[in-house]
Every structure is written in C-alpha cells, then in structure tokens.
Amino acid sequence: MTYLIRGKVALLLKIIIVGLASAILLMLAQSAFAQREYVISAFLALTILALALTYLTKISIPLKFFIPGILLLIAFVIGPILYTVTMSGFNYKTGNIISKEEAIVQVKIRGIEADPSGTSFDIKLGTYDGKEAILISDITNLKYFISTADSRIPVAANDVTLNEYGVAITAPNFSILTDAQMASADKSFSKIQFQYEGEYFIALEGFEAGIVSRQVLEYLPVTDEFRNLVNGSIYRDNGRGNYALVDDKTAILEPGWRAPIWFENYSKIITDPRVREPLVRVFIWTVAFALLTVLTTFALGLLLALALNRPIFGRRIYRSILVLPYAMPSVMSILIWGGMFNTEFGAINTLFGSDIAWFSDPNFARVAVILVNLWLGFPYFYLISSGSLQAIPSELLEAAAIDGANPRQIFRKITLPLLLQILSPLLIASFAFNFNNFNLIYLLTGGGPRNELDGEIAGATDILISYTYKIAFGTGTQDLGLASAISLIIFVLVASISLYSLKKSKVLETFG
C-alpha cells in the first residue's frame, strides 16, 4: 500500500484528482462569468490556483491539510457575511430587486396604456421570414394579419386555417412556435411592440391574446430620464433606486433597482417607530427566551445528573430513558408538541381538563415555547453534567466532608463552582444557539400570535432571527436590505455577549 501514498503512482493519482477538481471548478467559473457573477467566478479561479500551488508544489506541507477547510470557510462563512454587510447598505426590497439596466427595460415594457376602446385580439406566436411575429385574428370582423416589430402584413381569410374557435393557426410564410419553443418565448416576445396602426401597437397579454396599446413612457438615455409622452412630465433617478416625478418625489416608477443608501437601513431601526418598536419588543423576548432556556435546561439536567450519580436501582434504565428525547429528531418532537398543545384536541388540555388557547394567548404561547425547549434541551445538559461530575476529584469532596461540610455546602462551595468552570463554554454556546433558535419558533408557533389585521409582522413569540426572516421573506414587502442590517446587529450582539461571558468566566485562561 506504500506505493499509493508515495512514489510515482501517488503523484499520478494526485495529478488526476487535482486535474478533475480543477476542470469542474473551471466549468463552474465559466458558467458564473457567463451569468455576470464575476465575484463567484473570480473566487473559483483563485481556488483552482490555490489547489494547484498547494498540491502540485512543495510550498507548504501544513497547507495541504488546511486548504480545503480554508476555502470552504471563505465560501460558506466569510462570503455570506461580506454579502450581508454589503446588502445592508442597499435599498434591496420588493420592487428594488433587479439591476438598473433590467429596471429600465421593465419600465419601458410597463409604460404603455391600452387604446380607449380596450381592443384585443386572439393571437398565435410564431415566426415570419425568420423574425418573431404574431398571427392575429380579428374574429368580430373576420380579418387576419401578421405583425412583426417592423411591419403589418394583411392575410386573406381564405389563406388561413382556423381552429374550432375561429382563431387562425396557419398562414402563408408564418410558422407557429412548437411547444419546446414556447417555453423560452416569453423573454423575446414580451419585449417586442408588434406593429398595428399609427402610434398604437400590439402588446402581448400572455401567449394567446394581444392588447392594442401605445407607449406613454419614453426613456431618454442622454439625460437618464423617463418622459411621459401624454403630459410631458419627467421622471429622474432619485438616487434611491427609482425614477421619481420631478415635482412629486413620492410618485415613482416601478420596478426600481438595487441602489446604495449606505447607513439608512441602520438609522431606520432607530428612527422609524414602525421598525424600532417591534424590534425592541422582539429583542427583549429573545434575551428572556435564551436565558430562561439555558437556566431551565441546565437546572433540570444537573438535577437529574446529581440524582443518577448515586448508585440506585435501575440507574442504567433511567439514563437510557432520559437520553431518548435527545435521540429523537427535534423537528418531529416540535411538531408532536405542537399537536399536544392544540386547544381542542391536544393532550395537554385533555390531561388537565383545561381549555387553554396555548397559541392564541401571548403569555401561554411563550410558556409553551419554554416548555418544549426544556424537553428538547435537558438531555444535553444531563449528559454533559454527568460527565463533568465524574471529572471532579473525589478527594476534594471527601476532604470537605471530613472537615465537617454538609452535602449542601459541598455542592454550593465545591461541586457547582467547578461544574460552572467546566461547563461555562457550553452554557455560552447554548445561549448563542437559542438566541438564534429559528426551528423551534418557526415550527411550533410561527412566531405568533400576532395581530395580522393591523399589519403586524412581529408576533409574541418571534425572536430576532424569525422576525428577520419575516422581514426578508415574508408574504408582504420583502425588505432584504433591512433584514441584512438586523442580521448584522444580531451577529454583533451574540458575539459581544459571548466574548463578555467568556472573559468573566475566565475560562480562556485555562487554555493559556
């Protein structure tokens, strides 16, 4: 087997593996470049270079082990963080998703109005002399014609073939699109203004109907403005990702584009009461939820660990049973608990003979969240507390007992301080995890209850991460820029709290 690790065979295998990996990455880089994803393409190109330098030279032996992890760290941790930081400075929300060039095209397509009589025709998409064309059927007047972007060609009634609805489907020199061609027709046909009469043209309304329309908005590339052809009003770039009416800044054209607004998303968190007030409420509940979860799960886990640390009958069976909630998938446990808290059919109300609307009342919903998280979390602290108790030297406990300390004093003065020193990093990690415990909130209560009729986004049990998710991907306006700003604040908060706790616990000094 040595020849597989060293020698010419190993070198050949290494070259083949690096070559295959580089070929795949090169293909991905080329695809990303073709789609104008230049940052991704550049990263993939640098990855190829890094892999070649690392594995085909002797520049650094340790780097051969670290480079995969470093590249994945950059791709899936540092990259998303930098992207989030960047997007937090942009007006990036519903209506401002695409680029400026795409927005101009969309405004021009939407900047039309139907003729006063609302004339429409049945159409068929196809090609005429190699150009995109539509075959139009005026069923009322039994007239037919082919229209392209440049011309309108009348067709005699006896030259067309009609379907059962009287719509023309064939005409001389007109080739109707196949089903495969229809799949990609929207991109090309929707941008074309097919010739009709005078200033009017035919705009597609789906693939089966055409509306007689005229252009009312004209783009002026020299001044980067839109002009209303009917009343002459001008729309200019307002610097926030929209063309706004010169005389009324609130009148904007849709859609807009992603535009930098720098720190406005952060200032909105402080100055806009519609954002600030629910955010403060959610933040207070998030801290309370994380603290209560850590305290309750640690207390119950430690209590059970102390109880089962003594030689009692059936201890192994009890230990196995206590681990079961931890072994069960948390998603399944949360959904089962959600059913058990059901007001009408849930086991909780049936067992206690109550009629509590657990998920309709804010306080009961919060209690339910804490209880379910206690069930999910206590086995973890039971396991680590049991292991930590074994690590405490028995000589210390025996010496304290000989000196006259009672069991309560031994626990308070010796066992608990040593346990806290050992478990401090895990308690801090648990706090940080529950600070962002999205799955529990999303699956159990969905963040509710909340008053949807008043347009509230934040529910009574929403924590910061679920509230941010709703801002970014909710059913209403999706404000990705604001959500990015809040995400960064969450990151700073969790990092600050964790660092402060680690410093106060002095646990890092043990590694020095």
Side-chain angles (χ1 to χ4, degrees):
M1 293 297 290
T2 307
Y3 66 94
L4 289 176
I5 303 173
R6 297 177 179 176
K8 295 181 179 178
V9 176
L11 178 62
L12 180 63
L13 286 174
K14 186 167 65 175
I15 292 173
I16 292 174
I17 293 172
V18 172
L20 286 173
S22 299
I24 294 172
L25 292 173
L26 184 61
M27 182 183 67
L28 295 175
Q30 185 181 13
S31 175
F33 189 84
Q35 298 179 32
R36 300 184 178 183
E37 298 291 347
Y38 300 122
V39 176
I40 297 175
S41 180
F43 173 74
L44 291 171
L46 290 174
T47 300
I48 296 170
L49 182 63
L51 290 177
L53 285 174
T54 304
Y55 292 110
L56 300 181
T57 68
K58 296 181 180 179
I59 188 170
S60 173
I61 299 300
L63 196 60
K64 295 179 187 294
F65 299 95
F66 292 136
I67 194 67
I70 292 172
L71 292 173
L72 291 174
L73 180 71
I74 295 172
F76 297 109
V77 178
I78 297 176
I81 290 175
L82 292 177
Y83 185 76
T84 304
V85 172
T86 305
M87 286 302 104
S88 69
F90 273 71
N91 184 17
Y92 187 21
K93 62 183 179 183
T94 302
N96 294 82
I97 300 292
I98 55 182
S99 66
K100 185 175 183 179
E101 292 75 16
E102 293 170 321
I104 291 172
V105 173
Q106 289 298 320
V107 171
K108 288 164 68 176
I109 292 174
R110 298 183 187 185
I112 60 175
E113 68 175 9
D115 72 330
S117 57
T119 308
S120 64
F121 299 114
D122 292 296
I123 63 169
K124 292 296 178 185
L125 306 187
T127 57
Y128 180 80
D129 288 341
K131 299 179 181 177
E132 287 93 349
I134 53 175
L135 176 57
I136 300 167
S137 301
D138 183 355
I139 298 176
T140 305
N141 300 309
L142 296 179
K143 293 182 178 179
Y144 308 92
F145 56 92
I146 297 170
S147 181
T148 68
D150 307 318
S151 59
R152 172 184 167 181
I153 304 98
V155 181
N158 56 2
D159 286 338
V160 299
T161 304
L162 306 180
N163 63 13
E164 65 271 29
Y165 305 108
V167 177
I169 55 176
T170 65
N173 299 324
F174 179 82
S175 300
I176 195 168
L177 294 187
T178 63
D179 291 341
Q181 292 171 324
M182 289 289 283
S184 59
D186 185 53
K187 288 184 178 178
S188 56
F189 278 76
S190 62
K191 299 176 182 177
I192 300 175
Q193 297 179 346
F194 294 97
Q195 287 290 318
Y196 185 58
E197 293 176 348
E199 63 177 338
Y200 286 96
F201 57 88
I202 295 177
L204 298 191
E205 184 74 14
F207 287 163
E208 299 290 337
I211 307 295
V212 176
S213 311
R214 66 172 179 171
Q215 190 74 37
V216 294
L217 287 175
E218 177 190 30
Y219 180 63
L220 307 174
V222 176
T223 56
D224 189 22
E225 297 173 340
F226 270 96
R227 181 176 65 189
N228 190 312
L229 297 173
V230 178
N231 56 28
S233 56
I234 298 295
Y235 294 84
R236 288 179 184 156
D237 185 347
N238 63 0
R240 298 174 48 78
N242 285 99
Y243 286 100
L245 194 62
V246 173
D247 301 328
D248 182 6
K249 301 297 183 186
T250 60
I252 59 174
L253 299 177
E254 295 282 357
W257 61 92
R258 295 188 303 272
I261 54 175
W262 310 116
F263 298 101
E264 186 175 314
N265 284 322
Y266 295 96
S267 64
K268 189 189 296 183
I269 294 172
I270 300 172
T271 59
D272 190 343
R274 296 172 300 175
V275 179
R276 183 186 66 241
E277 291 174 2
L279 184 64
V280 170
R281 191 169 67 247
V282 169
F283 173 72
I284 293 171
W285 162 241
T286 303
V287 174
F289 164 73
L291 276 176
L292 286 172
T293 294
V294 173
L295 290 175
T296 54
T297 52
F298 175 63
L300 183 58
L302 177 59
L303 182 66
L304 293 170
L306 289 171
L308 294 177
N309 197 40
R310 299 177 179 180
I312 60 175
F313 178 74
R315 184 169 64 172
R316 291 185 178 180
I317 297 175
Y318 295 140
R319 285 178 168 173
S320 301
I321 293 173
L322 290 176
V323 177
L324 285 179
Y326 197 53
M328 192 172 178
S330 61
V331 173
M332 190 182 298
S333 295
I334 294 169
L335 294 176
I336 290 173
W337 274 99
M340 291 172 66
F341 277 112
N342 184 278
T343 304
E344 297 182 10
F345 311 107
I348 305 295
N349 279 346
T350 302
L351 186 63
F352 291 100
S354 58
D355 191 24
I356 299 173
W358 288 96
F359 297 139
S360 299
D361 182 90
N363 294 323
F364 281 119
R366 288 168 182 150
V367 171
V369 167
I370 296 294
L371 287 175
V372 173
N373 216 20
L374 174 61
W375 170 263
L376 295 172
F378 85 85
Y380 171 71
F381 278 108
Y382 160 70
L383 288 173
I384 61 174
S385 297
S386 297
S388 301
L389 286 172
Q390 304 300 321
I392 297 176
S394 59
E395 294 81 1
L396 289 175
L397 308 179
E398 292 172 359
I402 292 173
D403 288 342
N406 59 40
R408 187 176 299 174
Q409 290 174 319
I410 293 174
F411 174 76
R412 187 160 53 86
K413 298 290 186 181
I414 298 176
T415 306
L416 186 59
L418 289 175
L419 274 177
L420 288 176
Q421 186 170 9
I422 296 171
L423 299 180
S424 288
L426 299 176
L427 290 170
I428 294 167
S430 179
F431 177 84
F433 172 79
N434 284 291
F435 206 88
N436 296 312
N437 196 341
F438 176 82
N439 287 349
L440 174 68
I441 302 299
Y442 186 77
L443 293 174
L444 189 64
T445 65
R450 66 176 180 275
N451 191 347
E452 296 183 4
L453 295 177
D454 289 346
E456 287 185 357
I457 298 176
T461 57
D462 260 322
I463 57 177
L464 283 174
I465 193 66
S466 62
Y467 177 55
T468 305
Y469 175 83
K470 288 179 180 176
I471 292 175
F473 307 108
T475 54
T477 300
Q478 299 177 345
D479 197 335
L480 296 164
L482 179 62
S484 298
I486 296 176
S487 297
L488 282 177
I489 291 174
I490 296 173
F491 173 74
V492 172
L493 283 172
V494 174
S496 301
I497 293 171
S498 300
L499 287 174
Y500 178 78
S501 302
L502 285 172
K503 185 178 180 182
K504 295 298 289 184
S505 66
K506 300 180 180 178
V507 68
L508 292 178
E509 296 177 4
T510 59
F511 295 98

